Amino acid sequence: MTPDGGPRRLPGLGLEPGREPQVELYWGDDTARIARRLPMVPLLEAVLADELREYTRDPEFGFVLLFHDIEGRDRYEGPPEIVNLRPDFGHLTVLAHIGDRVLYQQPHSVTGLLGPVLAALGRTIDPGEPRWSFRVDSIALRDSAARRGQRDDGERGAYEERGDHGDYGDFDRYDLYDPYDRYDAYDRRRRRELLGGRDASRLPPIVTGSGDVDVTRSSRLSFGVRRVEEPEAPRISSSDTHGAGLPHNLERRPVTVLLTPHVQRLLERDLSLSLAVEEGGFLLGKVYRRPDGADGHVVIVEHVLPAEHSGASHMHFTFTGDSFRTMSRVMEERHPEDQLLGWYHTHLFSAVGGMGLSRTDVELHRATFRRPWQVAALINISDGRRVVRCYSRSENSMEACPLWSRDDDTAPYRLTRPSLGRR
């Protein structure tokens, strides 16, 4: 709520203030042995401290929390292990703002978001306890299942509860929206209305004719499965066609990204990108080992291929199997000499401070783009401008890549770090 006690409305989203959920932490799986009951806002501030620390003292700072009744991960491996007792509401979208200015807007799995900070808390409470469990508890979540079964489409809508926050302090600086099923037709219509008539989601198509194969039982299959060793990338040189204009002062980083002039113009300006839903696609080009004999790779991005058959909303982007099949066919037909260097996608808010890939983005990249030289390009779109950054996998997560570009095919590369397009 605003300081005068009136409701705050964020532009285009129509969110109203409500009651903050609490997080209950238990020893083991015993819900009778509660270790802590914690308000969620301080937990979020701790989880997102690196990105939001400089803003949290602003009196207009607040969170919007949208819980989705979509099954999520039930445990964080730890140590110690953290078990989510409500994986049916397994995902939420976190939006941080100062007044009407959106600072951060990303979907997360509840377990992936809260697991690390709850594990750290558990180690503080009892270093010898190997397993803890938790659940997010709020009136909205407790009532939502019953409400879904009792109301028809004409009665569905935003649900809010107001009331005293008990002994947990002043938590007026947040909003809570009703959990919704993102596959429900009514909610898609409602989100279009909230976003000024723009369609706020594009569901991925249903995949048919697929099945899982247990390769550990390959002796019983009618075909064999074996790992194919990938050939080592060649070492790049400034005398090579693709190394023309190669900079001589490359940083010692795992992956360095070089953008051709055409790709630079596409990412920075010319590529058609939606302002209503997140968009994404694939990056194609060449991969080399560093020219100086050091460990690491240099990737030259030569083509940008928008993904087909993908799913998207104002706050997430999803590949499907058909996205990859179409990409493979196009590569074979048009770019047979290129490799899949990685992917790109958009965030529809400004690039603030060190905020980059969301936890969901990191999980997607590490599970899908497994080669050490494959990169994730992030395009933040806000106020009519774009900021482009690239990331590669590190030992535990992802790290920013040095980004080089040039104005034309004859000019040398120049370092644009930390991003392309920043004023």
Side-chain angles (χ1 to χ4, degrees):
M1 299 176 68
T2 53
D4 62 3
R8 173 192 293 125
R9 279 187 176 274
L10 298 182
L13 293 177
L15 301 177
E16 297 283 357
R19 172 170 293 182
E20 180 190 25
Q22 308 290 312
V23 178
E24 296 178 343
L25 181 66
Y26 308 96
W27 271 283
D29 296 321
D30 186 357
T31 56
R33 297 187 64 204
I34 185 169
R36 292 287 191 277
R37 182 175 172 85
L38 307 159
M40 195 161 180
V41 165
L43 286 179
L44 292 178
E45 291 180 348
V47 170
L48 301 174
D50 290 342
E51 293 91 345
L52 300 174
R53 182 181 289 111
E54 62 181 294
Y55 303 103
T56 55
R57 295 187 180 277
D58 191 299
E60 285 289 291
F61 176 82
F63 286 103
V64 176
L65 308 179
L66 294 88
F67 284 86
H68 312 304
D69 50 349
I70 302 171
E71 193 77 18
R73 292 167 50 191
D74 66 348
R75 69 193 63 239
Y76 170 75
E77 290 74 15
E81 184 181 41
I82 305 293
V83 178
N84 183 359
L85 301 179
R86 291 296 308 272
D88 51 329
F89 286 92
H91 295 267
L92 81 161
T93 296
V94 178
L95 185 151
H97 62 97
I98 292 178
D100 291 344
R101 178 190 175 197
V102 175
L103 303 172
Y104 180 91
Q105 183 173 320
Q106 284 299 312
H108 296 270
S109 73
V110 174
T111 304
L113 183 68
L114 299 180
V117 69
L118 292 179
L121 177 60
R123 289 192 295 269
T124 300
I125 297 172
D126 185 351
E129 176 60 51
R131 179 182 172 96
W132 302 82
S133 58
F134 79 97
R135 69 178 178 184
V136 177
D137 181 54
S138 75
I139 292 178
L141 292 185
R142 288 199 303 270
D143 292 353
S144 62
R147 288 167 56 85
R148 284 199 306 271
Q150 295 172 358
R151 62 192 178 186
D152 59 26
D153 278 355
E155 298 172 327
R156 296 174 72 103
Y159 172 64
E160 56 179 312
E161 290 285 342
R162 294 184 176 87
D164 184 15
H165 295 291
D167 299 325
Y168 302 106
D170 179 8
F171 296 109
D172 288 343
R173 299 186 306 154
Y174 70 89
D175 308 274
L176 176 63
Y177 214 42
D178 186 35
Y180 61 82
D181 181 349
R182 66 190 175 110
Y183 292 98
D184 183 271
Y186 170 82
D187 284 311
R188 293 201 296 275
R189 293 196 302 272
R190 177 163 62 86
R191 290 200 296 279
R192 280 201 299 271
E193 294 171 0
L194 294 177
L195 292 168
R198 295 172 294 165
D199 188 359
S201 65
R202 182 183 67 242
L203 299 181
I206 297 174
V207 178
T208 60
S210 63
D212 296 329
V213 176
D214 184 356
V215 297
T216 63
R217 303 171 61 188
S218 58
S219 60
R220 303 182 185 180
L221 301 175
S222 59
F223 57 89
V225 179
R226 63 181 177 85
R227 180 181 297 276
V228 176
E229 295 299 329
E230 184 176 355
E232 189 175 41
R235 195 170 296 282
I236 194 171
S237 168
S238 58
S239 62
D240 298 335
T241 301
H242 297 291
L246 185 70
H248 297 288
N249 55 335
L250 293 177
E251 288 187 57
R252 295 290 185 92
R253 301 288 287 276
V255 179
T256 298
V257 179
L258 309 183
L259 303 179
T260 63
H262 172 65
V263 168
Q264 176 188 344
R265 291 190 295 270
L266 279 175
L267 298 180
E268 194 173 23
R269 183 185 66 240
D270 295 342
L271 185 63
S272 178
L273 294 171
S274 172
L275 301 180
V277 298
E278 290 191 2
E279 298 277 29
F282 304 99
L283 304 175
L284 313 179
K286 307 293 189 301
V287 57
Y288 300 92
R289 287 177 292 153
R290 291 176 59 96
D292 52 13
D295 292 336
H297 292 88
V298 175
V299 298
I300 304 178
V301 185
E302 298 180 302
H303 304 285
V304 175
L305 182 64
E308 299 182 19
H309 313 292
S310 60
S313 76
H314 190 70
M315 291 167 284
H316 86 284
F317 173 80
T318 307
F319 290 116
T320 67
D322 286 335
S323 301
F324 283 91
R325 279 189 286 273
T326 300
M327 176 271 298
S328 298
R329 176 178 55 78
V330 172
M331 285 187 65
E332 183 177 356
E333 294 175 355
R334 304 180 192 174
H335 310 289
E337 302 300 321
D338 290 329
Q339 297 205 55
L340 176 60
L341 300 181
W343 63 299
Y344 72 90
H345 77 295
T346 60
H347 282 177
L348 302 180
F349 57 90
S350 61
V352 180
M355 286 191 291
L357 300 176
S358 70
R359 291 173 188 262
T360 302
D361 299 335
V362 172
E363 290 175 1
L364 186 155
H365 183 92
R366 294 182 67 86
T368 309
F369 299 88
R370 295 174 175 267
R371 292 177 172 84
W373 41 262
Q374 288 181 314
V375 299
L378 175 62
I379 308 173
N380 284 85
I381 305 176
S382 177
D383 298 327
R385 72 184 185 98
R386 304 178 184 182
V387 175
V388 183
R389 290 169 287 178
C390 289
Y391 301 84
S392 65
R393 65 172 58 225
S394 61
E395 182 177 350
N396 297 316
S397 184
M398 304 282 286
E399 65 177 72
C401 301
L403 188 61
W404 295 75
S405 64
R406 56 185 183 181
D407 293 323
D408 57 63
D409 291 327
T410 61
Y413 285 94
R414 67 182 186 281
L415 185 63
T416 63
R417 187 192 57 179
S419 62
L420 177 69
R422 190 185 299 274
R423 290 177 182 170

